[in-house]
């Protein structure tokens, strides 16, 4: 499969359909479906079509990267994505606390 880089702006209310998410991650749609069915990616059905929040694009890309670079299975890739999300959340909390302490 040819690698394509797709840069995107994440908009909270926007959703991507199955093919848009797959294209943005440079994976076949079956990759997305397998991870949704396994509970590793969150998507919902809208009008009979699978839709994913644009924010899940970051998670999906992290999973793809982990699977490819480290030959990881999908569960391990999801765990890595979970941990990275947790680190980001903790960093935001530290920044918020530090700003509150200064001002």
């Amino acid at each position: 499969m040819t690698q394509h880089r797709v840069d995107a702006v994440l908009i909270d209310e926007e959703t991507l359909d199955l093919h848009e998410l797959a294209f943005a991650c440079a994976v076949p749609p079956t990759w997305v479906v397998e991870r949704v069915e396994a509970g590793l990616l969150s998507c919902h059905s809208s009008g009979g079509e699978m839709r994913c929040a644009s924010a899940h694009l970051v998670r999906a890309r992290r999973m793809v990267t982990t699977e490819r670079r480290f030959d990881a299975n999908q569960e391990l890739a999801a765990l890595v994505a979970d941990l990275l999300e947790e680190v980001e959340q903790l960093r935001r909390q530290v920044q918020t606390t530090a700003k509150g302490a200064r001002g």
Side-chain angles (χ1 to χ4, degrees):
M1 173 180 273
T2 304
Q3 294 290 323
H4 299 282
R5 178 169 171 89
V6 176
D7 292 320
V9 175
L10 300 180
I11 302 172
D12 289 338
E13 294 83 33
E14 290 297 314
T15 60
L16 302 169
D17 69 24
L18 171 66
H19 296 285
E20 291 168 334
L21 181 62
F23 180 78
C25 294
V27 295
T30 54
W31 184 95
V32 175
V33 171
E34 288 171 359
R35 278 126 191 99
V36 169
E37 289 175 350
L40 305 174
L41 277 177
S42 297
C43 292
H44 64 278
S45 183
S46 177
E49 179 181 50
M50 186 182 295
R51 306 287 304 176
C52 300
S54 63
H56 288 99
L57 175 59
V58 173
R59 178 178 178 78
R61 283 185 171 175
R62 285 178 173 159
M63 291 173 62
V64 169
T65 299
T66 301
E67 288 179 26
R68 288 181 179 161
R69 282 192 187 157
F70 302 105
D71 194 28
N73 66 30
Q74 62 185 12
E75 291 83 8
L76 179 58
L79 177 61
V80 169
D82 289 343
L83 293 172
L84 290 170
E85 290 164 7
E86 182 72 19
V87 167
E88 287 176 351
Q89 180 183 6
L90 291 170
R91 285 182 178 156
R92 283 191 299 272
Q93 288 176 354
V94 167
Q95 289 174 349
T96 300
T97 302
K99 287 179 184 177
R102 283 186 252 143

